[in-house]
Amino acid sequence: MRLLHTSDWHLGRAFHRVNMLGAQAEFIGHLVATVREREVDAVVVSGDVYDRAVPPLAAVELFDDALHRLAGLGVPTVMISGNHDSARRLGVGAGLIGRAGIHLRTDPAAAGTPVVLADAHGDVAFYGLPYLEPALVKDEFGVEKAGHESVLAAAMDRVRADLAARARGTRSVVLAHAFVTGGEPSDSERDITVGGVAAVPAGVFDGVDYTALGHLHGCQTITERVRYSGSPLPYSFSESEHRKTMWLVDLGPDGEIDAERIDCPVPRALARVRGPLEELLADPALTRHEEAWVEATLTDAARPADPMARLTQRFPHTLSLVFAPERAPDDPDVSYARRLADRSDQEIAEDFVAHVRGAGPDVREQGVLRDAFDAVRADDSVREVAR
């Protein structure tokens, strides 16, 4: 069975104030063409279809167009909700839409109920695990401690139990929206806690022929059977080195995996340039970036006059301007934002405790802080869906 694995469309999202809807529409056209030309048997979309719980009308219209075009091809599509989607909104009409071959999986309670498709070698069970916010789903999965690993492991227990009850030789595909240990994040994924309790080990998915992941925006292989497709478009300059692709996966009769990357259309190249303003304006090596979307980091000791106006004369598509004078990390003039760069909320809070009382939090206190941040994230999710 040939699968096309994609995720993180983020319909409705802009790139540094640039409307990306046209580029997103071009990607949808490319997706449909790939399904047709490469004779794809099933499409899997691993969450973050929209960029926010209440998407703009134009994004909804593009999603509707995508569903109609995929259904028109007669190729089944399995789709889950991500942390940026409203699961309840995305899942409206799922029963009816399923009759057209578009299977929306947004209910955590249905994690162990697959979409079953068949090829010449037998059945393939597709299990959709929507984004699981631990504080909201811990009761559903009967876990004592709300954590990403515990709820995802419980959901996978349901998957394995259902799979064990099926005919021998049934192959399996899991769609999940999660941060798996070993994955490389980028700046455009909001609500990512690198190396913290939000990360889950790849071993959670053991026993499944293929796990189609969403959440991280870079295409990457965690193991042969566990892969991120990444987002089809860039949403931050940290993705300037990304090659935006989808995975074309051939699932063999005994669960063998053969995967190929399919390139996505590039609306405009990204470039990050750094140095004193005068050097950026004169360096002939930067000529290749003159038509790119540019993030310029100026290292001048003093802020130059009219930097954006001067930059756009050479790089008309400059979207981001950063001032970063070359200073030692302990220099008192280093900005607060730079001092906090790459630090999680948990780490910042622990540093604050240490600063106030002279000693950092103990293990119990770290747990209290962690629970507080989890509660805030859960409350934010509930409020967003209720809007």
Side-chain angles (χ1 to χ4, degrees):
M1 183 173 288
R2 175 164 285 184
L3 317 175
L4 188 62
H5 167 200
T6 177
S7 72
D8 295 274
W9 295 356
H10 286 275
L11 300 182
R13 185 167 182 171
F15 179 75
H16 288 269
R17 305 179 307 280
V18 174
N19 188 321
M20 296 291 279
L21 203 65
Q24 291 169 340
E26 185 179 358
F27 161 70
I28 295 299
H30 171 68
L31 170 71
V32 172
T34 300
V35 171
R36 182 176 58 249
E37 294 165 7
R38 298 301 296 268
E39 300 181 337
V40 170
D41 298 307
V43 177
V44 294
V45 185
S46 298
D48 279 355
V49 175
Y50 292 121
D51 188 54
R52 56 182 185 265
V54 185
L57 178 59
V60 177
E61 290 174 340
L62 179 55
F63 177 61
D64 181 64
D65 178 63
L67 296 188
H68 277 84
R69 294 172 73 178
L70 288 168
L73 293 175
V75 175
T77 297
V78 184
M79 184 179 296
I80 63 172
S81 51
N83 59 307
H84 286 277
D85 300 307
S86 164
R88 293 178 62 184
R89 285 189 175 88
L90 189 64
V92 168
L96 288 173
I97 296 172
R99 297 181 185 180
I102 307 293
H103 305 280
L104 300 175
R105 290 295 183 261
T106 63
D107 183 2
T113 305
V115 175
V116 181
L117 305 177
D119 64 9
H121 305 288
D123 288 346
V124 180
F126 290 78
Y127 298 90
L129 277 55
Y131 177 72
L132 303 176
E133 179 59 52
L136 299 182
V137 302
K138 67 181 182 69
D139 293 337
E140 166 63 35
F141 290 108
V143 299
E144 293 184 6
K145 183 71 172 176
H148 287 269
E149 182 175 353
S150 60
V151 297
L152 194 53
M156 284 301 301
D157 285 343
R158 294 189 184 183
V159 168
R160 281 185 279 265
D162 180 86
L163 192 57
R166 296 188 175 273
R168 185 174 182 179
T170 299
R171 289 157 292 163
S172 55
V173 175
V174 164
L175 290 74
H177 197 83
F179 180 22
V180 175
T181 304
E184 183 65 32
S186 59
D187 293 344
S188 58
E189 300 117 359
R190 303 188 291 273
D191 303 324
I192 288 282
T193 305
V194 179
V197 293
V200 300
V204 166
F205 302 106
D206 284 352
V208 172
D209 291 312
Y210 184 71
T211 299
L213 293 174
H215 200 26
L216 302 186
H217 289 181
C219 180
Q220 49 201 298
T221 300
I222 305 300
T223 72
E224 180 192 15
R225 298 185 180 277
V226 180
R227 299 170 188 259
Y228 284 99
S229 66
S231 61
L233 294 166
Y235 294 112
S236 74
F237 278 101
S238 65
E239 300 166 67
S240 61
E241 299 300 321
H242 285 191
R243 174 187 165 199
K244 295 299 184 181
T245 59
M246 303 176 285
W247 282 113
L248 187 68
V249 178
D250 285 323
L251 182 61
D254 296 316
E256 310 96 316
I257 295 294
D258 184 22
E260 173 190 351
R261 292 177 71 178
I262 304 295
D263 289 293
C264 296
V266 178
R268 190 180 294 277
L270 304 187
R272 298 178 111 172
V273 298
R274 181 185 182 92
L277 177 59
E278 295 301 332
E279 289 187 11
L280 298 184
L281 296 176
D283 188 352
L286 300 182
T287 300
R288 58 195 174 96
H289 299 317
E290 289 180 351
E291 294 304 317
W293 280 323
V294 169
E295 178 186 72
T297 299
L298 302 185
T299 61
D300 302 79
R303 185 175 301 219
D306 300 321
M308 181 61 89
R310 295 168 68 189
L311 278 168
T312 53
Q313 288 181 353
R314 183 179 189 188
F315 307 104
H317 305 288
T318 301
L319 299 180
S320 175
L321 182 58
V322 180
F323 294 97
E326 300 291 356
R327 295 191 176 106
D330 57 353
D331 189 311
D333 289 332
V334 171
S335 72
Y336 181 71
R338 287 184 64 192
R339 291 199 300 271
L340 296 186
D342 301 322
R343 299 188 65 74
S344 68
D345 292 341
Q346 178 86 15
E347 290 170 331
I348 293 169
E350 291 177 7
D351 287 348
F352 176 76
V353 172
H355 174 75
V356 169
R357 72 180 187 192
D362 58 26
V363 173
R364 183 190 66 80
E365 291 168 332
Q366 288 174 347
V368 170
L369 288 171
R370 188 177 302 116
D371 290 344
F373 284 121
D374 286 344
V376 170
R377 279 192 289 269
D379 185 62
D380 285 346
S381 297
V382 172
R383 290 174 183 271
E384 184 73 7
V385 172
R387 286 176 56 192

